[in-house]
Amino acid sequence: MALDSKVPKGPIKDKWTTYKDKINLVNPANKRHIDVIVVGTGLAGGSAAATLAELGYNVKAFAYQDSPRRAHSIAAQGGINAAKNYQGDGDSTYRLFYDTVKGGDYRSREANVYRLAEVSANIIDQCVAQGVPFARDYGGLLDNRSFGGVLVSRTFYAKGQTGQQLLLGAYSAMNRQIARGKIEMYNRHEMLDVVVVDGKARGIIARNLVTGEIERHSAHAVVIASGGYGNVYFLSTNAMGSNATAAWKIHKKGAYFANPCYTQIHPTCIPRSGDYQSKLTLMSESLRNDGRIWVPKHMDDVMAIREGRKKPTDLSEDERDYYLERRYPAFGNLVPRDVASRAAKERCDAGYGVNATGEAVYLDFASAIERYGKEQAKIHNIKDASKAKITELGEKIVEAKYGNLFQMYEKIVDENPYKTPMMIYPATHYTMGGVWVDYNLMTTIPGCYCIGEANFSDHGANRLGASALMQGLADGYFVLPYTIGDYLADDIRTGKISTETKEFDEAEKAVKDRIDFFINNNGTKSVDHFHKRLGKVMWDKVGMARNEQGLKEAMAEIKQIREEFWKEVKVPGGASEMNPELEKAGRVADFLELGELFAKDALMREESCGGHFREESVEESGEQKGEAKRNDQDFAFVAAWEYKGEPADAVLHKEQLEFKDIELKQRSYK
């Protein structure tokens, strides 16, 4: 079946405007009679809930955390993109659109990306009005910095805590609506199924995580904004509670799941320190504006550093290999994430990793500290400033830009990154794949929408830095509130949706049966035991590099782990109480199915693109030798999978991608 993306006709720059002009609207008096459920209250869900309530709909918002303030969006560090061209360096809506499509290795839907670039500028105005304390330059204007894969500075930021500040903006907008009674907030509730009545999404089954009570909630439409599935790898930069359950449940009820193999391995994370670790910590990509990435040139220096006989600061410039600057002179340390991650892996695989596990490279700020120090000495008219004075002045500037990141690094690693280079290594971070949606952000279940990281729509095979916050807020503040009205216009006479129907009965019974199974299953192994095993298979065989044999093995191994999980899992505690192990069991059960579909998708896609690197598909010669090799002839499509029971039996539907405004070509960052 060919998927209908419902992209409007006409020139790309007019599509969204023309579409909004002709869309069905719900009049303000009728919005009072329409209920919308929003699952997840991070940037996408929080902004959507606040905006829909502001428009007059009755919103029920669900968060598994104790407050929307704790959504994982809070952990985003480096910034949010918008094409405002405040720096006068040549940015435009078209350039943001182009960079995003190219950064995603030409595997995203053009119309969605152009719309994202178009509304990006509004987001900044909205957030400034909410009081988000963006960094400002000396003249008081909003400041920008650069991120990977672009040649302009378009990233707005608030130190290294942009996600937190933006989330507080969305949360304050939500709070206003909670106070007015337009948002009913359900903290500490987890969605465990979607209820489909006459083919339309009409509600959810949720568990109160404090009392264990199972609840029915109805609405005229359901919006899933529950984030990505990076924790399928066990170790990732995601919060440990981040999970794929809401997205997976709608998949099992008919929503196609698109491009699960597109995962982002972020190049700048704190390396893992042992097998006991439960999560990894991200070091913002913004650090690559000023940090230079290198490994020693000579193997004896590598060994001396590993054995503690030498410090990285002992090595002179010509004993260092700044491999990104060497391989990609045009973009240097600011190549896109997938390129930077593979380059770090290549160096470490070749034996040049600098920590005890051999899985780390340096991110060094010495040059930036010296450069800023000299500039400050001139500004303060300090003649013949000593090296110590230059360092002191330079460190102050670096601290103003990245202070909280440096502090976090020091707390975790117990080394001062002002004095010695940071150590970093790639780690699972963001998922570009997700629930398939059309131009309206509706899934293949009518009335069920999916926004933010949970959908597949805007980033193709690799996301550029600072675009996650942009997409989440664009979807929630500026896109969904329009498109959902078009659908809800048919529901103004429907009245309240009853929860006393056979569809709600069946969904609730299925949820309760599964919970009873977990509580009563007398297995011998913990949930984490299985999650760690799944994560290891995923990282080893479906990680930064993939090949046919490894992917086939991964599918078989994941299936085996899943079968063992259902026999052997042990969940302590009861169902009618707060029980984190029970929550985890349900989430890991879903990851064990998603992981196999992920490997199946990667096996089907016999090309390399963005974050999906197949060892069989590599440029053999020329200046691109060793880089990812796309196959546009056979794979310029979105892979949307339909659930058929076992993950191995999922049916593939293709949405062919058309490139009318951007020339399809092998990307180069050289």
Side-chain angles (χ1 to χ4, degrees), residues 324-477:
L324 290 177
E325 296 169 30
R326 167 170 60 80
R327 283 176 61 175
Y328 308 103
F331 284 75
N333 293 297
L334 282 172
V335 289
R337 292 175 176 178
D338 58 319
V339 178
S341 290
R342 278 199 296 278
K345 179 181 191 295
E346 185 275 326
R347 286 292 76 197
C348 291
D349 287 353
Y352 291 91
V354 292
N355 67 350
T357 62
E359 292 184 342
V361 299
Y362 288 125
L363 180 62
D364 192 337
F365 289 85
S367 308
I369 288 169
E370 187 183 345
R371 185 174 75 248
Y372 287 130
K374 284 179 174 168
E375 190 181 279
Q376 287 300 304
K378 280 204 170 85
I379 289 168
H380 296 297
N381 205 15
I382 304 170
K383 297 271 193 295
D384 302 326
S386 66
K387 188 162 176 23
K389 185 65 183 171
I390 286 171
T391 302
E392 180 199 331
L393 292 167
E395 283 180 0
K396 276 202 182 113
I397 299 292
V398 168
E399 185 181 3
K401 289 176 107 172
Y402 313 113
N404 62 314
L405 298 168
F406 277 52
Q407 191 183 3
M408 192 162 75
Y409 180 88
E410 188 163 3
K411 274 191 173 155
I412 292 170
V413 181
D414 196 23
E415 274 185 357
N416 178 348
Y418 294 101
K419 305 297 179 201
T420 183
M422 281 184 183
M423 283 194 287
I424 54 162
Y425 193 69
T428 306
H429 177 54
Y430 186 91
T431 51
M432 285 79 63
V435 178
W436 184 89
V437 291
D438 62 19
Y439 189 74
N440 301 313
L441 304 181
M442 198 194 294
T443 69
T444 42
I445 303 172
C448 182
Y449 291 79
C450 189
I451 59 176
E453 190 181 355
N455 75 24
F456 89 102
S457 75
D458 295 17
H459 307 297
N462 171 59
R463 178 173 67 73
L464 291 181
S467 285
L469 307 187
M470 173 175 68
Q471 186 217 339
L473 292 179
D475 285 357
Y477 282 137

Side-chain angles (χ1 to χ4, degrees), residues 261-275:
C261 77
Y262 291 164
T263 319
Q264 181 156 82
I265 313 280
H266 197 295
T268 43
C269 300
I270 297 178
R272 67 185 185 92
S273 48
D275 292 336

Side-chain angles (χ1 to χ4, degrees), residues 63-65 187-192 206-213 215 577-580 583 587:
Y64 72 76
Q65 296 93 343
N187 293 328
R188 284 286 183 194
H189 279 68
E190 182 166 30
M191 168 185 157
L192 293 178
R207 178 171 183 266
N208 178 325
L209 297 180
V210 179
T211 64
E213 201 178 333
E215 302 172 4
E577 60 182 2
M578 190 165 170
N579 188 344
E583 295 166 37
R587 295 166 187 171

Side-chain angles (χ1 to χ4, degrees), residues 9 42 72 89 108 143 158 170 190 205 220 270 336 338 340 346 381 423 446 457 496 512 568 582 620 626 651:
K9 299 273 182 281
H72 187 59
D89 58 359
S108 41
D143 199 10
E190 182 166 30
I205 306 293
H220 298 90
I270 297 178
D338 58 319
E346 185 275 326
N381 205 15
M423 283 194 287
S457 75
K496 272 261 179 264
K512 284 183 166 166
E568 284 295 323
L582 176 61
E620 299 290 346
V651 172

Side-chain angles (χ1 to χ4, degrees), residues 57-218:
Y57 297 106
N58 308 312
V59 177
K60 288 182 169 185
F62 292 81
Y64 72 76
Q65 296 93 343
D66 49 8
S67 158
R69 285 197 315 267
R70 298 185 65 111
H72 187 59
S73 302
I74 203 168
Q77 295 168 352
I80 174 167
N81 290 330
K84 277 188 167 297
N85 195 29
Y86 278 0
Q87 302 294 317
D89 58 359
D91 202 9
S92 63
T93 300
Y94 180 84
R95 192 173 281 276
L96 173 51
F97 159 61
Y98 172 81
D99 287 344
T100 306
V101 172
K102 178 184 173 185
D105 218 352
Y106 304 92
R107 289 291 175 264
S108 41
R109 187 191 289 150
E110 267 195 346
N112 283 57
V113 180
Y114 194 89
R115 174 175 67 187
L116 175 67
E118 211 177 325
V119 304
S120 68
N122 306 357
I123 298 171
I124 305 304
D125 300 342
Q126 167 101 358
C127 295
V128 169
Q130 287 173 340
V132 172
F134 285 122
R136 292 179 181 265
D137 66 16
Y138 67 97
L141 299 172
L142 296 186
D143 199 10
N144 291 116
R145 54 190 176 200
S146 193
F147 260 62
V150 307
L151 295 171
V152 296
S153 294
R154 67 162 66 100
T155 303
F156 294 78
Y157 63 99
K159 271 197 162 171
Q161 47 183 261
T162 315
Q164 180 179 18
Q165 300 302 338
L166 291 169
L167 188 65
L168 290 172
Y171 175 67
S172 56
M174 280 183 78
N175 260 348
R176 180 166 171 267
Q177 301 304 327
I178 292 168
R180 292 177 63 216
K182 291 306 290 180
I183 294 180
E184 254 182 279
M185 188 66 227
Y186 292 89
N187 293 328
R188 284 286 183 194
H189 279 68
E190 182 166 30
M191 168 185 157
L192 293 178
D193 211 351
V194 64
V195 180
V196 178
V197 182
D198 297 332
K200 295 178 174 178
R202 291 300 199 192
I204 66 169
I205 306 293
R207 178 171 183 266
N208 178 325
L209 297 180
V210 179
T211 64
E213 201 178 333
I214 303 299
E215 302 172 4
R216 303 176 178 195
H217 296 276
S218 69

